[in-house]
Amino acid sequence: MMRFIDCHLFLLFYAAVLPQHFTADGKVMMEYIGATGIPVTFDFVPVEDKIDFHFILGFAIDADPSGNAQNGIFSPYWANTLTPESVLAMKNNHPNAKALASLSGWSLANKVLRWYNPKDPKLWISNAFSSLKSIAQNYHLDGIDIDYENFPMNSNASFAYCIGELTSLLKNQSVISVATIAPFHTTVLPYIELFNGYGNVIDYVNHQFYTDKVRTPEAFLRAFQLRAMQFNKDKLLPSYEVNGRGIQGDAFFDALALLENNGFDVNGVMIFSADASSSNDYYYERKSQAFLLNCTKV
Ligand SMILES: *[C@@H]1O[C@H](CO)[C@@H](O)[C@H](O)[C@H]1NC(C)=O
Ligand SMILES: *[C@@H]1O[C@H](CO)[C@@H](O)[C@H](O)[C@H]1NC(C)=O
Ligand SMILES: *[C@@H]1O[C@H](CO)[C@@H](O)[C@H](O)[C@H]1NC(C)=O
């Protein structure tokens, strides 16, 4: 009960002092959807009213259907059950929900996708801007997530430049309002370079903690401390892979509590993915949102 009261006093204070930043409780959910090929829909995913809920559609890819790069011309490859009409209906049902397109992902048509150094970076950026603008308008999207997962040697600079400039342009032309990045264990370096150059246009870091191979709350805390130093602790979200790698089961919620007890504000949670959660009635989505709404910090 004390916690409940503290929480509300804090929110009243927050609303009075910083009205322009007052979105819901300031807590966010990131939910990947549509990446595994099963006919998933938004309909059964629990979305709490007070959470700034982001569906991240996987994936928009700079490639033709055989996986050949198209010089910055992106196409949507998420589950075809996630239609423009269904995105619109979902957003009408949940005014607090947003939809993002995640860029790239691991593979397409059994071809591993890689960042490549475009021959003409300005042309790549211009192609990417136009194609993503048309996808965003068609699908009623609010943002992009950057999920390049393979980098050849010496590609850091072109990645940071092209993706940073693209994101800046999409934001300053009001095509998108949200941008997130999804580094994992072995790809943090190019993402640090991107974040150092363009952190002002990056809202959240969906670090894939499940690739850090930590299985206990204590080890999760140490991984979070490391990633918080590399990026920005307030933009960094703890993450969970359903039926996947890393910490599993309710130990994840013990890890969230441990983060709070060690001085971190848990500002949100990222889950991969709705495709897998449909078989367990979205247990982790429900429990994560309950955790975020309960102001567990003491
Ligand atoms: C990125 O740059 C760092 C040095 O800043 C280097 O150690 C690393 O190998 C580079 N990574 C890639 C993928 O090129
Ligand atoms: C928008 O961002 C692009 C890419 O960084 C930049 O070249 C351009 O000057 C910006 N325009 C405005 C109006 O800020
Ligand atoms: C909310 O907080 C109370 C008090 O700490 C706790 O007993 C309860 O289990 C929490 N509920 C959820 C859904 O986390």
Side-chain angles (χ1 to χ4, degrees):
M1 195 56 198
M2 256 333 275
R3 286 181 183 183
F4 178 76
I5 290 167
D6 287 349
C7 180
H8 272 252
L9 285 176
F10 170 72
L11 289 174
L12 286 173
F13 169 80
Y14 194 65
V17 176
L18 294 167
Q20 70 277 25
H21 290 137
F22 187 72
T23 56
D25 285 357
K27 305 283 181 166
V28 304
M29 271 294 293
M30 299 281 164
E31 174 86 329
Y32 283 86
I33 187 166
T36 68
I38 69 164
V40 66
T41 71
F42 301 108
D43 302 353
F44 306 107
V45 181
V47 174
E48 290 291 338
D49 289 346
K50 289 187 172 161
I51 300 269
D52 194 4
F53 202 105
H54 302 69
F55 282 101
I56 306 181
L57 282 61
F59 291 95
I61 306 176
D62 166 16
D64 68 12
S66 319
N68 303 306
Q70 297 296 302
N71 201 20
I73 302 173
F74 283 80
S75 305
Y77 288 99
W78 45 77
N80 60 17
T81 41
L82 303 176
T83 61
E85 297 70 30
S86 75
V87 175
L88 190 58
M90 178 280 290
K91 287 171 67 170
N92 286 338
N93 275 344
H94 303 291
N96 55 314
K98 297 185 173 71
L100 280 59
S102 186
L103 306 193
S104 187
W106 184 266
S107 65
L108 179 66
N110 296 322
K111 211 176 246 185
V112 171
L113 298 164
R114 293 171 196 288
W115 175 254
Y116 57 93
N117 293 324
K119 280 202 187 70
D120 181 346
K122 293 222 152 53
L123 179 60
W124 187 94
I125 293 164
S126 155
N127 285 343
F129 176 80
S130 323
S131 56
L132 289 170
K133 181 178 177 183
S134 113
I135 295 172
Q137 287 174 340
N138 186 15
Y139 279 88
H140 315 281
L141 304 181
D142 304 283
I144 56 168
D145 171 61
I146 310 301
D147 189 30
Y148 278 85
E149 305 216 324
N150 294 284
F151 296 86
M153 293 305 286
N154 306 320
S155 67
N156 285 7
S158 75
F159 175 70
Y161 175 74
C162 292
I163 295 294
E165 290 296 313
L166 169 65
T167 307
S168 304
L169 201 54
L170 287 166
K171 276 207 163 173
N172 74 22
Q173 300 301 303
S174 301
V175 176
I176 63 168
S177 57
V178 192
T180 63
I181 60 174
F184 75 86
H185 190 70
T186 56
T187 62
V188 287
L189 287 176
Y191 282 94
I192 289 172
E193 197 165 321
L194 171 63
F195 195 79
N196 286 345
Y198 296 91
N200 60 321
V201 290
I202 296 166
D203 299 284
Y204 297 103
V205 179
N206 288 318
H207 179 72
Q208 303 177 47
F209 280 96
Y210 34 86
T211 65
D212 285 332
K213 301 189 181 77
V214 293
R215 296 203 152 260
T216 64
E218 294 71 23
F220 196 99
L221 170 64
R222 287 192 295 275
F224 197 91
Q225 285 165 332
L226 171 64
R227 303 313 175 192
M229 280 192 315
Q230 293 172 323
F231 296 97
N232 167 322
K233 69 176 170 54
D234 297 319
K235 294 185 177 183
L236 181 63
L237 304 179
S239 56
Y240 187 86
E241 186 175 53
V242 179
N243 301 333
R245 298 159 287 176
I247 200 163
Q248 289 288 294
D250 283 340
F252 177 63
F253 301 104
D254 297 337
L256 298 186
L258 192 61
L259 291 178
E260 296 235 311
N261 290 335
N262 280 272
F264 290 108
D265 289 322
V266 175
N267 293 325
V269 168
M270 178 270 265
I271 291 182
F272 189 94
S273 67
D275 303 34
S277 293
S278 56
S279 64
N280 68 8
D281 195 29
Y282 304 94
Y283 176 81
Y284 294 97
E285 288 78 355
R286 289 179 203 286
K287 204 157 173 178
S288 294
Q289 291 177 92
F291 182 94
L292 293 171
L293 291 174
N294 206 6
C295 293
T296 48
K297 199 177 176 77
V298 278

